[in-house]
Each structure stands twice: as structure tokens, then as C-alpha cells.
Amino acid sequence: MSDPRIAGASVTHFGKHPERTGRDLFAEAGLEALSQAGIDPDDAEALYYGNFMGELAEHQGHQGPLMAEAIGLDVPATRVEAACASAGTAVREAVKTIRNGEAEVVVVGGAERMTNIGTAAATDALAIAADDLYEVRAGMTFPGAYALMARSYFDQYGGSHEDLAHIAVKNHEHALVNEHAQIQKEITVEDATEAPTIASPLGLYDSCPITDGAAAAVLTTESYAEEHDLDAPVAITGTGQGGDNLALQDRPHLAQTPAADKAADEAYEDAGVGPDDVDFAEVHDCFTIAEVFAIESLGFYERGEGIAAARNGETTRDGDRPINLSGGLKAKGHPVGATGVAQLATVAWLLDGSHPRADAVPDSTVGVAHNAGGTVASTTVHIMEVRE
Amino acid sequence: MTESAQDGEYDAWLDSIESDNGYYLECSNGHGWLPPRRVCPRCHDQDLSEVDLPESGEIASHTTITVPTPQFEDDAPYVTAIADFGPVSVTGLVRDVDPDDVSIGDVVGLDVGERVTTGERAVVFRPR
Ligand SMILES: [Zn+2]
């Protein structure tokens, strides 16, 4: 079994590009990833592609072959949908395909076009990640669902909206040097706490923006990388995926994310590392509170302790274990179906030193990507390590 | 989607609440669920029976939503809550209370109301 190497990766600018088609966004990222990898495109044997709301935003289903064609490949192409974890789940499929020996070169990516339909329709589209009968019909929006989880967290463990504000401030600050980021604007704790409420207790600055964008990566075997003299020092050494009841009402706890616990446990065991070995992580902060759930599920903090991490400066770029050096979904943006691969690319670039925030984690060897779907009914965790 | 088609057991469940015979589904091991369910996702038991819902539940969490989907445009701001009825929890719209006065632990009853924007049926909670 060979741990896949990341031979090349690319992300488009994340932001408002309402006029750009999904296929054009993905073509930009995919072609650049192939170019970075320096492989013969004829060697690519499969595409796994994440996309969540293409039917609603572009009236476009059956996107697998469309996207393979867009990057000039004639390969079996599979679209993977797991809400906001679509691309992370696509990564997992690509990892398994390479480990199984079924392919030597696999392209993985994702794209989402969202701003072309406007905020109201995008809010509507995002809500379908929830249970339509029991949640959406009771008025639950995507922010509303995380608001219910946040209030439950405060009730069970303590913490305040101001603690969440520190997470937003941190991630905005991290994104200041990320030219791919949607929001490059420093904010203060007061900005965040005084912003308009969208779903109490969460306000505007607790939420990631609505984003158009794409990401792609080329994965290959260690032997292919050696034979072709590729510069591919980062390996995906652990993969994990977990699930949960789709509807919040059916879960025993509203302030825990067991799907992420399961994904993390599996990925750590697979890689043979533990939380203490991890130098930094890119986690799924679609809302500020989601970062708290993520760092607790990844084992960096006990339950109820993650809320204070940003405020204490432990997860900032000068902290012990920086979280979301890219700016996270919060500031980098969240083109839903692309996010998991954008996280993978970020971790690889931080490990190989090419990311603009790599100076925060010099000599790091282990990074983690945590990608969650809906209210964390799906989660993937991937461990990446420097090999050579 | 045909406008006249109902959603099977879900609409039947709403009917049961409207006629004050609200129920949930319980497996042999006491795990509670809302329909449609053919199997208990926790213990795989397929022997699910209809049990009367408790008269009241407690709000487990709540949020006042000010940025709604288009289907709730005229409802906003509104309160969506999850209420704990013991073996099952239910998601619904909190009515007859000022949003600022809703708290975790509030005792509520279950009812079927209408969405302001569309007039469609919705699960609602009212104080008890
Ligand atoms: Zn059961």
C-alpha cells in the first residue's frame, strides 16, 4: 500500500465571480494543478470531483464527465456529494483508488458557483443539506442550525459570543496575506460582536461568506513520483470519514460532533500519529462555532475547552498549534464543493513551505485537514506528512 | 413535485398532531424516532410501534432567525427550536412568545401551525 503523494495543487481566487461558469472555474484550477504536477495528462486515470448545489445554481447535473472534459481528460469521472464535505469525500475516494493499486495518477477537485443566484436563493440551496421534512420546514437555515448548536454549547460548557469573535478576528488576520482569499480585511472583536445578528446567537462575522471558486490536486503513487522525478514531498498518510444522524433533533448531543470524532480516530490510526503530533490544521469553520467543534473532535482540546483557544492565542499564527492559517472558510471563503480540496492544497503548501503563512509553522511535518458536511453529519479527516 | 402529493408518513404524523393524537415511533429498546422509519438507526430493531407523544417538552436550544430562506421571508424574524419530549426531540417554530423571552428549559406543547409566507403546515411549539 502506497500513501498517495500530492504532486500538484491549485485553487482559483475565492470570491464573487457570478459570471464565471462552474466548468470554467474548475478548468482553471484543474489545468493549473496538472501543470504544477508536471505529469503527462494521458497518465491521469480517474477524476473525483466534489460539487454540492450545481443543479440549483447552474441547472447542471452529471458534472463528472463535464469537469473531466473541462480539464482535457478522458477518464472515468465521478461526482461526489456530501454537502460541504463533498471535496473531502472526493479526496478519500482518490486516496483509496491509489492505495488499492487501481490507478497511479488521480485528479481530485471540486467547484461551486453560488453568487450568481443571489443571497436568498443561495441560503435556500445551502439549507437542503439539512433534513427537509423535519428541519427545513421548521425554518431551519444553515446559520440557524449552527446557532442551535452554539447556544447548546454555551449552555452545556460555557463560553460567549465574544469567544467566537476571537475566532473570526484570528481567521481574518490569517487571510491578510492569502491572495486567493475572498475577504482580506482585518476586523476587531467589537466589529464581530456588534455585527448584525443572522441567527441568534450568531452574527454576520460568525458566518463564512457565499463564494464562487474551485480547487484541484493531482495525487500519485510514491513510485510514480520517483520514476518521473516529481517534486512531491507531501504524502496523505491517513484518511478517515464519519457519519451521524442527518437531523440535529435525532442526535443525543447538540454540542458535540461525533462524526468528526470517528473520522479523526480513523485517520490518526491510519497514519499512526496522534493529536499531539499535529503541527497545524485547516478545519471546517463554516461558522465560528464549527471551529470549536472541530478542534475538540480532532483531540486538540477537551470538550468545552476549545471555545477559549483563539482568545488565549493558542490557535493564532503565533500560537502553539495554528488553526486555519489560510483564513479558514470564514475569510478565505467557502465554495462548498471545492473546500475539502482547498484545505488539502493549503496543508500541502504549509508543509512544503510555499504558503504565504508557512513562516508560522517552520519545520512542521504533520498537518491535518478537517472537512464537515451540513451540521457535521458527514466529516472527513486527512493527515498529511512530509516524506522524502 | 406534484402539488397535490403528500409526504406519506410525515403528513400523516402532522395529521395526528392536529387531531391531538400525536405519536412517535419506539423500538423495543426504547429509542424514539419520528416517521417515516422502518428501522431503529441506533439498534437495528425493526419492531417499531406508535407511542403517544408526551403532552409537553422542554426547549433544548433555540435561535431567532433574521436571515431566512425565501420560503420564510414574511415569517422572519422567527424562532426555530429543538424541544426535548423525552424519547424524541422535535424541531419546530416557537409561537406566542416574544423571541427575546425564549429560553432553554421552557416548557412547550406541540401543535401544527401555518407558515406566514406560504401558508404551508409547520410544526409549532406554544408555551405550556
Ligand atoms: Zn433502537
Side-chain angles (χ1 to χ4, degrees):
Chain A
M1 191 177 78
S2 162
D3 284 331
R5 295 299 182 95
I6 300 169
S10 179
V11 299
T12 64
H13 180 259
F14 281 7
K16 284 186 181 159
H17 304 288
E19 76 294 346
R20 290 190 65 184
T21 59
R23 69 187 80 181
D24 181 59
L25 287 165
F26 186 67
E28 180 192 330
L31 288 171
E32 179 60 21
L34 284 163
S35 164
Q36 292 284 331
I39 62 154
D40 181 347
D42 281 341
D43 286 356
E45 293 171 271
L47 168 68
Y48 291 99
Y49 167 81
N51 175 265
F52 169 59
M53 49 180 272
E55 286 82 355
L56 300 174
E58 296 199 282
H59 198 249
Q60 184 64 64
H62 205 182
Q63 292 194 15
L66 178 72
M67 296 304 171
E69 189 180 339
I71 58 171
L73 299 185
D74 178 15
V75 295
T78 306
R79 171 180 168 186
V80 180
E81 190 274 306
C84 319
S86 296
T89 312
V91 170
R92 186 168 157 81
E93 293 307 308
V95 168
K96 289 196 284 189
T97 300
I98 287 183
R99 281 182 168 182
N100 290 343
E102 289 170 32
E104 283 196 299
V105 178
V106 175
V107 180
V108 63
E112 208 74 64
R113 184 183 184 189
M114 303 177 73
T115 69
N116 61 316
I117 56 175
T119 301
T123 302
D124 195 29
L126 287 167
I128 71 167
D131 183 323
D132 183 66
L133 296 180
Y134 283 103
E135 297 187 315
V136 179
R137 294 185 194 192
M140 198 185 283
T141 58
F142 192 34
Y146 275 91
L148 290 167
M149 297 167 84
R151 194 185 300 280
S152 179
Y153 186 100
F154 294 161
D155 181 58
Q156 290 184 45
Y157 303 116
S160 66
H161 190 223
E162 194 174 317
D163 292 322
L164 297 180
H166 281 275
I167 297 170
V169 169
K170 166 180 74 74
N171 291 347
H172 275 249
E173 201 276 336
H174 286 174
L176 290 177
V177 298
N178 182 355
E179 62 182 17
H180 300 290
Q182 181 163 5
I183 305 171
Q184 289 186 284
K185 189 182 95 176
E186 206 153 9
I187 60 165
T188 64
V189 168
E190 291 69 36
D191 290 335
T193 52
E194 287 164 17
T197 300
I198 50 175
S200 66
L202 302 182
L204 194 60
Y205 281 110
D206 291 299
S207 173
C208 66
I210 292 169
T211 311
D212 306 302
V218 179
L219 307 188
T220 185
T221 60
E222 189 182 327
S223 57
Y224 182 97
E226 272 171 21
E227 275 164 38
H228 294 80
D229 202 23
L230 303 182
D231 180 27
V234 177
I236 303 172
T237 59
T239 176
Q241 183 176 351
D244 201 353
N245 301 103
L246 188 67
L248 287 175
Q249 67 182 23
D250 292 329
R251 300 184 194 168
H253 303 283
L254 293 177
Q256 296 181 12
T257 53
D261 298 4
K262 289 180 247 179
D265 288 348
E266 184 186 1
Y268 285 137
E269 191 182 337
D270 190 21
V273 300
D276 291 345
D277 299 313
V278 176
D279 296 305
F280 63 88
E282 287 288 307
V283 307
H284 199 92
D285 61 325
C286 48
F287 298 92
T288 47
I289 185 69
E291 179 167 310
V292 178
F293 291 130
I295 60 179
E296 292 182 4
S297 285
L298 287 167
F300 303 154
Y301 291 89
E302 297 293 323
R303 300 248 183 255
E305 305 287 327
I307 186 79
R311 176 163 48 85
N312 293 343
E314 294 155 8
T315 53
T316 52
R317 64 190 167 95
D318 53 359
D320 288 346
R321 188 190 283 111
I323 301 293
N324 284 329
L325 284 165
S326 66
L329 284 56
K330 175 72 199 76
K332 172 165 70 18
H334 181 28
V336 172
T339 285
V341 171
Q343 292 177 320
L344 187 88
T346 300
V347 173
W349 294 331
L350 286 164
L351 286 172
D352 73 18
S354 62
H355 192 278
R357 285 284 185 223
D359 59 353
V361 285
D363 308 319
S364 60
T365 55
V366 183
V368 166
H370 158 287
N371 188 201
T375 48
V376 201
S378 293
T379 310
T380 61
V381 171
H382 286 97
I383 315 284
M384 277 158 271
E385 297 182 65
V386 178
R387 292 271 188 268
E388 221 145 14
Chain B
M1 208 182 334
T2 321
E3 217 172 288
S4 58
Q6 295 230 311
D7 285 308
E9 294 81 357
Y10 171 77
D11 275 302
W13 179 73
L14 288 183
D15 292 344
S16 79
I17 294 167
E18 277 186 322
S19 57
D20 291 327
N21 292 308
Y23 60 86
Y24 66 95
L25 301 175
E26 190 178 72
C27 77
S28 311
N29 294 312
H31 304 133
W33 306 95
L34 298 179
R37 293 275 181 187
R38 287 173 184 246
V39 62
C40 173
R42 198 150 296 143
C43 69
H44 317 300
D45 185 21
Q46 295 191 29
D47 185 16
L48 305 181
S49 49
E50 292 184 7
V51 179
D52 289 346
L53 264 170
E55 294 264 304
S56 62
E58 279 188 13
I59 288 186
S61 194
H62 60 95
T63 177
T64 303
I65 294 176
T66 38
V67 181
T69 64
Q71 287 76 30
F72 282 84
E73 201 178 347
D74 300 333
D75 293 69
Y78 58 89
V79 179
T80 290
I82 295 174
D84 181 352
F85 284 81
V88 283
S89 290
V90 184
T91 312
L93 298 161
V94 180
R95 293 278 170 86
D96 303 345
V97 199
D98 187 295
D100 291 338
D101 294 336
V102 178
S103 297
I104 290 176
D106 284 357
V107 177
V108 292
L110 189 60
D111 200 356
V112 174
E114 275 188 4
R115 283 150 58 169
V116 177
T117 314
T118 64
E120 291 171 272
R121 296 199 293 180
V123 173
V124 301
F125 301 131
R126 299 185 204 281
R128 280 214 167 228

